[in-house]
């Protein structure tokens, strides 16, 4: 077809109201594939939850995490 891949809009507006989706699974459980598909289908960016702890909070609509968490912490606490 004539489909064209475009990256998601990584500039998420902090004042936009976005529903949040938490993608959680066992380590190495193909969460990354779901992460990429959600970005492709919606043009909205996903974020790994550890980035919240190290880079601060943001308004990303899709968050990927592991359960059980390898460090026992959640980045958004």
């Amino acid at each position: 077809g004539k489909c064209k891949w475009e990256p998601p809009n990584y500039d998420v507006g902090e004042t936009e109201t976005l529903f949040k989706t938490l993608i959680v699974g066992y380590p190495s459980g193909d969460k990354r594939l779901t992460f990429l598909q959600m970005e492709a289908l919606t043009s909205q960016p996903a974020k790994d939850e550890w980035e919240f702890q190290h880079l601060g909070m943001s308004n990303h609509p899709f968050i990927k995490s592991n359960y059980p968490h390898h460090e026992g912490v959640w980045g958004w606490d």
Side-chain angles (χ1 to χ4, degrees):
K2 296 182 182 184
C3 295
K4 178 183 173 187
W5 181 85
E6 293 183 12
N9 178 13
Y10 289 106
D11 186 26
V12 179
E14 294 299 317
T15 59
E16 287 184 61
T17 301
L18 299 170
F19 292 101
K20 306 296 189 260
T21 301
L22 182 62
I23 304 164
V24 180
Y26 290 105
S28 299
D30 291 332
K31 295 175 300 296
R32 177 78 48 192
L33 180 60
T34 304
F35 188 112
L36 295 173
Q37 289 174 340
M38 293 178 88
E39 283 187 338
L41 290 170
T42 65
S43 296
Q44 296 292 323
K47 187 174 185 177
D48 212 310
E49 67 89 19
W50 71 266
E51 294 174 348
F52 288 111
Q53 185 173 7
H54 300 286
L55 302 175
M57 296 300 289
S58 67
N59 193 26
H60 284 71
F62 307 118
I63 305 163
K64 180 183 80 63
S65 187
N66 290 318
Y67 182 83
H69 195 279
H70 65 283
E71 294 180 5
V73 298
W74 299 103
W76 57 85
D77 280 345

